[in-house]
Amino acid sequence: MTAESVKPSLDGLEAKWDAVWQESGTYRFDRTKDRAEVYSIDTPPPTVSGELHLGSVFGYVQVDSMARYMRMSGREVFYPMGWDDNGLPTERRVQNVYGVRCDPALPYEPGLVVEAKTDSKADKNRDVRMVSRANFLELCHELTAIDEVAFEKVWRDVGLSVDWGLTYATIDDRCRRVAQRAFLRNLQRGEAYASEAPTLWDVDFQTAVAQAELVDRDTASAYHKLAFVRADGGPAIEVDTTRPELLPACVAIVAHPEDPRYKDIAGSEVVTPVFGVRVPIVLHPLADPDKGTGIAMVCTFRDTTDIIWWRELDLPTRSILRRDGRLLEETPEWLPESGASVWPDLAGSNTKQARRKIVELLTEAGALIGDIRPIQHPVKYYEKGDRPLEIVTSRQWYIRNGARDTDRAEALIAAGRRLDWHPDFMRVRYEHWVGGLNTDWLISRQRHFGVPFPVWYRLDPSGEPTFADPILADEASLPVDPQGQPPAGFTEAQRGQPNGFIGDSDVMDTWATSSLTPQIACGWEEDDDLFARTFPMDLRPQGPEIIRTWLFSTMLRSQLEHGTEPWANTSINGWILDPDRKKMSKSSGNVVTPAALVDEHGADGLRYWACHGAPGIDTAIDYAQMKVGRRLALKLLNASKFVLGLGDDMSAAAAAGMQGAVTEAIDRAVLAKLAGVVAEATTAFEGYQYQRALERTETFFWNFCDDYLELVKLRAYGNDEGARSAQAGLAIALSTLQRMLAPFLPFAAEEAWSWWQVGSIHRAPWPSSSELFGQTGDATAEVLDVAASVLTEIRKAKSAAKRGMVTPVDRLVLTDTADRLAAFGLAEGDVRRAGVVAVVEVVEVVGVVGVDGTVDAVAAAEVATAEGVAATVTVELQAPVAT
RNA sequence: GGGCGCAUAGCUCAGUUGGUAGAGCGACGCCCUUACAAGGCGUUGGUCGGGGGUUCGAGUCCCUCUGCGCCCACCA
């Protein structure tokens, strides 16, 4: 398409320019540039599980506008994309889509083909097929590969200027290698360790869960008041509990040391109802006299406070829950005969069934006092889980994160303060999280699709593993799969044999890999040259909800490995809200797919809406804004078409303009105003205020079209010096505006640019304010301001008279101060042509000055009335002609 | 219970060091005007959440209250 040919359209621009950009490598990183010239972005790898929703697109588009600005301003932008495909979300999706479950005990079936289920909901829980670990992992890879293609399509549709040649996936060889290498180094420096300890546990997924992945959910529960008979024959002690099914795991009851009701009987014993186990009465300051009856049942383990009591009061361990959340089959050995006799009724039951049974037994024994009182209370869940977490004892890997080391925590907070946060108030979320850590970072998961721990254990002559002295993989051999490969010096035949070995069966939590995205993207220990040019990175953009996970853990890994911050800046995007301003639910975000919005409003329309949200500020979905954005994009095409149609070679006109061809005062005035806008937008972008840059540019652009363009276009049609001045001014302004809108409307800007320029606008230099000022002489904006306000008065008069805008004006009387009349005089010809004015009379007045030192015609009229002086525009229209 | 953010026109939002309240959308009216009718021009519309305070002057600074959102803690 050319400027003159047909009516400009936005349709098809996404596909057209995406193809051109890919083919010509517009966004390809030039790795010959030095670190000082490079701007590197630690793009969040989206979780590849199904479909990208609008909330993700919102933040990525904002960052893309920054990336495009940085590229135009002369930085070489390093902008990779990653896919976070390892971990539980993928496993869960594979289970649903293929109807399979992983059974590590099964042998691998080569060439196994499993059809994806068309309707996963209908087929759920039916025909579940058990497959080997290796087959399961194959299916994970198969599905994520499909999803990644779909994701890349969406990102390209919305115009992300990433270099697709730099893409990584958190399960790929490079990421597994980096994650294993970083872990081995943590281990060797003593920053990682394994420990057998009570751990929050999801009974459905059967994996340990980290502090950062907990959520509280209000859950229905009920108080049960139990009577504990005192061993010394004193009055029974009443204990409230919401977990009566854990009564057989009770190891003590605990009260506050100052509580007068209980402190004198501390150390004596009570007998648990039904089960008849003698447990001590103990004291601890964490017991709250105001909760329940003021004395609590300590079980191993009911909640995290139990762990503290158990540890600090040196209580015994009496676990009754298996890892699948059911009670033990075998009768616990600590139960006396009376308790042991009821166990067969409880064995293997889930907690709900066990609760019902135990409540029956308590009632029969007369140990349940009063009614069961239903309550709602917050309970800890795994954020991706459906049932409350339990606590089981297991061997897990941890990384020291400052929870138990004040110096490290303070160093991490100090590192956070060296980061520039956009917006700054997000910093406190990080500091609160670091300050509130209470356990080291649990990085192991008892799952399949993840990065294995590169560790084996020797088996002793009786076949028992020796955990204290693990065999570590050699860095050169990474990535390794200890469940599929033997350690050096062993053969596969020795796996599981006495004096042989076993591989660590756990995988790393997905955050243990994604905490290394700067190292992964920049080629740490893989590509030293690239690393030197890109690390530490310039920007980490991300969502506010993962400050405690991703941002914190990345900071931690970088501090441990490099002793430095991983980036200089972090920008935190806001939430997307439903149109009713509630936080967007996943379901509604998926109903409105980004692809559908691109179809309806164009990528530029969608981007315009997204770029109106400032960093960290929540933004409502607003389809009206997307329409406005689309209109702006179309306006850019139309205005470009018009300006470029004024001469045969408008880029030559722009060049002439830069050599002094802009001679008319009003043409210089528009460039002077534009120079100010360029300065403002540049400052805004440098401070990560892309939305301000957009707002200023947009406002100027509409005024440019409505006022300046209308004022000068009739003059610009000619071929004299005045026409050449207008053409030069218009060409310079158009070039500038196209470039200033390019970060926000990359497709329309590129299209309009292509009509008269060589090369991509996205590699064109960002406009220079000082260069523009160089063309304006001593011109001020006043000429344009006065002319525009007079034109507005003329339009107002015509509109009030219900006449068309081409209606001739017989006489225009302008009453104003000398300065403004002089300014008007410099643009009088343009005003007469634009307003179709026959006769102009001017009347000079004095002393009409606005409060802020400026005058415009309308405000001046209001001020002047009180002072008896008139500054007015009188418009006398030609009488209507009868037709 | 602690922290952070938000509250300005019917709607979505600007308002950078305190100095006469802005824009867009919507609504209403007008206009085929040779870049644009999927357009243009114009009009209407606000005791800046409530209450105190500082100041010559507060949407802006301080205190307080209310509502909404988010984060953290507790959870017998």
Side-chain angles (χ1 to χ4, degrees), chain A residues 615-642:
Chain A
I617 304 299
D618 297 348
T619 300
I621 298 177
D622 188 346
Y623 305 112
Q625 281 293 96
M626 297 181 200
K627 288 194 174 73
V628 172
R630 188 180 175 81
R631 214 175 50 139
L632 177 65
L634 189 60
K635 189 80 172 175
L636 180 61
L637 295 186
N638 278 314
S640 298
K641 174 186 154 192
F642 171 68

Side-chain angles (χ1 to χ4, degrees), chain A residues 13-14 17 21 156-159 603-604 745-751:
Chain A
L13 292 189
E14 289 88 0
W17 288 109
W21 294 333
R156 288 168 62 157
D157 278 350
V158 299
D604 288 342
L745 313 173
F747 296 100
E750 184 76 303
E751 173 73 11

Side-chain angles (χ1 to χ4, degrees), chain A residues 804-867:
Chain A
M805 289 299 140
V806 286
T807 306
V809 174
D810 281 348
R811 198 168 70 106
L812 179 74
V813 182
L814 197 58
T815 308
D816 213 319
T817 58
D819 283 354
R820 284 173 52 89
L821 289 177
F824 174 79
L826 294 171
E828 184 179 331
D830 287 337
V831 175
R832 291 171 77 123
R833 277 184 291 269
V836 203
V837 180
V839 177
V840 172
E841 293 174 16
V842 297
V843 180
E844 186 181 326
V845 295
V846 290
V848 183
V849 178
V851 173
D852 62 354
T854 66
V855 176
D856 73 19
V858 181
E862 288 163 1
V863 171
T865 308
E867 299 177 11

Side-chain angles (χ1 to χ4, degrees), chain A residues 194-218:
Chain A
S195 171
E196 175 98 11
T199 310
L200 286 161
W201 185 268
D202 187 290
V203 297
D204 290 316
F205 293 115
Q206 296 199 40
T207 182
V209 171
Q211 187 186 352
E213 293 171 297
L214 305 182
V215 290
D216 286 349
R217 293 190 194 136
D218 246 1

Side-chain angles (χ1 to χ4, degrees), chain A residues 275 335-342:
Chain A
F275 297 96
L335 295 184
E337 202 167 320
S338 59
S341 67
V342 301

